[in-house]
């Protein structure tokens, strides 16, 4: 086993992972309520970029709160999925998986 070559690949892969994480800050995911009254945009790194609330929701605090929870959770779930898919692809592209190293890519 070529340990030096393996370390070089590991460093290169780690750099690609960091570059991918930065790029995921620019990947925007839009989610909205089924009636379109609440819209949320979030990055693939789970940073909320915008929330748009229709005036109709301002009259019902409970509904607005419910929508915020529901739509935000849906957006976060999508962002986590995109993030994991992208990072997994980079991590697996160049390296054979070595037992115990999976945690390095989280």
């Amino acid at each position: 086993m070529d340990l030096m070559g393996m370390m070089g690949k590991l460093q290169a892969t780690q750099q690609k992972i960091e570059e991918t994480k930065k790029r995921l800050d620019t990947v925007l995911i839009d989610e909205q309520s089924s009636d379109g009254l609440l819209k949320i945009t979030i990055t693939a790194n789970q940073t909320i970029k915008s929330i748009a609330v229709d005036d109709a929701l301002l009259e019902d605090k409970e509904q607005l709160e419910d929508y915020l929870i529901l739509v935000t959770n849906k957006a976060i779930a999508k962002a986590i999925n995109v993030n994991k898919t992208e990072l997994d692809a980079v991590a697996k592209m160049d390296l054979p998986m070595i037992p115990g190293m999976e945690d390095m890519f989280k």
Side-chain angles (χ1 to χ4, degrees), residues 11 35 38 42 62 72 89 99:
Q11 286 177 336
D35 57 12
L38 180 78
I42 187 173
E62 246 180 67
T72 302

Side-chain angles (χ1 to χ4, degrees), residues 6-80:
M6 192 75 141
M7 292 305 291
K9 274 191 169 188
L10 184 59
Q11 286 177 336
T13 300
Q14 192 65 41
Q15 184 175 353
K16 286 180 187 175
I17 288 171
E18 291 308 314
E19 289 167 2
T20 301
K21 285 181 181 177
K22 283 181 188 160
R23 185 178 57 77
L24 289 173
D25 275 332
T26 66
V27 175
L28 300 179
I29 296 157
D30 296 313
E31 187 60 60
Q32 66 180 9
S33 57
S34 56
D35 57 12
L37 296 179
L38 180 78
K39 297 175 182 172
I40 293 178
T41 301
I42 187 173
T43 70
N45 283 330
Q46 304 162 46
T47 300
I48 295 174
K49 289 298 196 181
S50 69
I51 298 175
V53 180
D54 190 277
D55 289 345
L57 284 175
L58 298 179
E59 297 165 19
D60 188 342
K61 183 177 185 266
E62 246 180 67
Q63 183 182 11
L64 175 56
E65 290 169 346
D66 289 345
Y67 273 36
L68 281 168
I69 292 167
L70 179 72
V71 178
T72 302
N73 283 335
K74 283 172 63 179
I76 289 170
K78 281 186 179 178
I80 288 170

Side-chain angles (χ1 to χ4, degrees), residues 71-89:
V71 178
T72 302
N73 283 335
K74 283 172 63 179
I76 289 170
K78 281 186 179 178
I80 288 170
N81 189 40
V82 169
N83 189 297
K84 182 176 178 354
T85 301
E86 292 285 323
L87 290 177
D88 282 354

